[in-house]
């Protein structure tokens, strides 16, 4: 049967799916997480998909985009650059990708910010789904049951938490142990600088199997010892010597290193 309804636009963003389900049944979401720690760049052109309802046309059509102040804590010029207001759905197309230039700033390491986006109607398009009702039984992943699909929120942060794969722990008395000791942002930055590793490498056992973890610990140990012998030791934020693998020193969280005269 032919389509009956609005010729409109909506944010078409799916995530929270699993590898065992097709993306086509992942749930639609009213937000996107922008994790700079995973992106690994100081600025990014973040893409958000916008789709249409109604027939495809053989000519270009436009829709409008604006910032939604009710869902925005990000600061213009600091966390994001000015947003293009008019966008085009090309002839023969059913959607497009809008792109927002976002910036990595030091404050994002401590506190996330949000950037709310809102579609506006034009002579070419109405708003397709001001109320989107999910069908949970057809979705795979976390479902937001009802939201306005003419709005979308970017949740922007640079907060680094312990990744899924991390072979290290803290013993009684706050003593570090295991292959990696306890996780810290500074330790991950050291692994990136010294060994060329990325935060994403530690996301699963597929990318960081135990054999590779052992190699990482060995190589990191050698790099830390070399820095120590060069009288340029790597210190954690609390002043203690960074600990990994089989370095010849112990590490107690909160106890700073005291150089031997």
């Amino acid at each position: 049967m032919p389509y009956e309804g609005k010729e409109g636009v909506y944010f078409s963003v799916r995530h929270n799916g699993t590898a065992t389900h097709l993306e086509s049944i992942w749930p639609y979401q009213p937000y996107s997480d922008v994790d700079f720690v995973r992106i690994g760049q100081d600025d990014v052109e973040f893409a958000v998909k916008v789709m249409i309802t109604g027939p495809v046309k053989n000519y270009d059509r436009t829709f409008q985009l604006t910032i939604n102040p009710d869902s925005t804590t990000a600061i213009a010029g600091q966390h994001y650059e000015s947003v293009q207001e008019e966008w085009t759905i090309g002839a023969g197309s059913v959607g497009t990708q809008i792109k927002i230039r976002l910036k990595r700033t030091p404050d994002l390491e401590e506190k996330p910010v949000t950037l709310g986006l809102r579609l506006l109607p034009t002579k070419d398009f109405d708003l397709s789904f001001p109320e989107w009702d999910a069908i949970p039984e057809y979705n795979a992943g976390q479902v937001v049951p009802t939201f306005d699909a003419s709005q979308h929120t970017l949740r922007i942060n640079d907060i680094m938490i312990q990744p899924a794969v991390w072979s290290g722990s803290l013993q009684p008395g706050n003593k570090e142990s295991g292959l990696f000791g306890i996780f810290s942002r500074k330790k991950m930055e050291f692994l990136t600088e010294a060994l060329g590793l990325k935060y994403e490498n530690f996301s699963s056992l597929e990318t960081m199997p135990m054999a590779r973890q052992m190699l990482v610990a060995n190589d990191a140990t050698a790099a830390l010892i070399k820095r120590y012998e060069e009288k340029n030791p790597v210190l954690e934020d609390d002043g203690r010597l960074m600990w990994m693998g089989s370095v010849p020193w112990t590490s107690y969280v909160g106890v700073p290193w005291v150089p031997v005269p």
Side-chain angles (χ1 to χ4, degrees):
M1 62 178 289
Y3 172 79
E4 294 181 3
K6 294 180 180 179
E7 294 187 22
V9 286
Y10 65 100
F11 286 109
S12 176
V13 179
R14 300 172 183 252
H15 53 83
N16 287 332
T18 67
T20 58
H21 295 89
L22 296 174
E23 185 178 351
S24 59
I25 61 171
W26 291 3
Y28 288 89
Q29 302 289 0
Y31 63 88
S32 293
D33 289 324
V34 184
D35 302 323
F36 272 106
V37 69
R38 300 182 185 278
I39 295 170
Q41 301 175 26
D42 290 336
D43 64 87
V44 62
E45 202 170 50
F46 195 82
V48 182
K49 184 186 290 187
V50 173
M51 299 287 287
I52 71 167
T53 53
V56 175
K57 300 294 179 69
N58 61 359
Y59 54 86
D60 292 350
R61 290 175 289 174
T62 62
F63 64 91
Q64 293 276 328
L65 176 72
T66 190
I67 300 298
N68 183 4
D70 294 339
S71 56
T72 295
T73 60
I75 300 172
Q78 178 177 328
H79 300 116
Y80 67 97
E81 295 183 0
S82 59
V83 174
Q84 179 179 324
E85 294 183 355
E86 186 170 283
W87 295 82
T88 300
I89 300 292
S93 297
V94 295
T96 190
Q97 297 269 11
I98 65 169
K99 294 182 178 180
I100 311 296
R101 177 68 68 178
L102 303 174
K103 300 179 179 181
R104 187 181 201 175
T105 54
D107 61 302
L108 295 176
E109 296 180 12
E110 304 295 333
K111 184 178 180 180
V113 298
T114 56
L115 179 60
L117 306 175
R118 184 171 64 189
L119 299 172
L120 299 175
T122 64
K123 62 180 181 61
D124 293 324
F125 291 111
D126 202 341
L127 302 179
S128 298
F129 304 112
E131 183 174 325
W132 178 284
D133 296 308
I135 307 176
E137 59 267 31
Y138 288 102
N139 291 313
Q142 180 181 345
V143 175
V144 179
T146 303
F147 58 89
D148 184 345
S150 68
Q151 299 182 30
H152 195 75
T153 301
L154 305 184
R155 306 193 305 197
I156 309 163
N157 78 89
D158 194 23
I159 298 172
M160 187 179 290
I161 61 173
Q162 181 171 309
V165 177
W166 188 264
S167 296
S169 61
L170 201 60
Q171 292 182 345
N174 289 336
K175 181 181 178 181
E176 292 192 74
S177 64
L179 284 177
F180 301 152
I182 66 167
F183 177 80
S184 71
R185 184 185 190 100
K186 199 162 188 178
K187 189 173 288 185
M188 181 58 68
E189 290 172 347
F190 167 75
L191 292 175
T192 298
E193 177 186 352
L195 306 183
L197 294 169
K198 297 180 180 179
Y199 183 78
E200 281 293 284
N201 295 145
F202 295 83
S203 62
S204 73
L205 286 173
E206 292 182 359
T207 56
M208 187 58 66
M210 181 53 68
R212 189 180 185 191
Q213 292 181 56
M214 295 175 69
L215 288 173
V216 168
N218 288 337
D219 291 345
T221 295
L224 288 170
I225 292 173
K226 183 174 184 293
R227 286 280 299 269
Y228 181 86
E229 291 175 343
E230 293 172 346
K231 301 188 183 303
N232 183 28
V234 183
L235 304 180
E236 295 281 7
D237 287 338
D238 62 1
R240 73 185 191 278
L241 288 171
M242 186 172 288
W243 190 96
M244 283 196 76
S246 55
V247 293
W249 55 79
T250 54
S251 172
Y252 296 91
V253 175
V255 180
W257 170 63
V258 179
V260 178

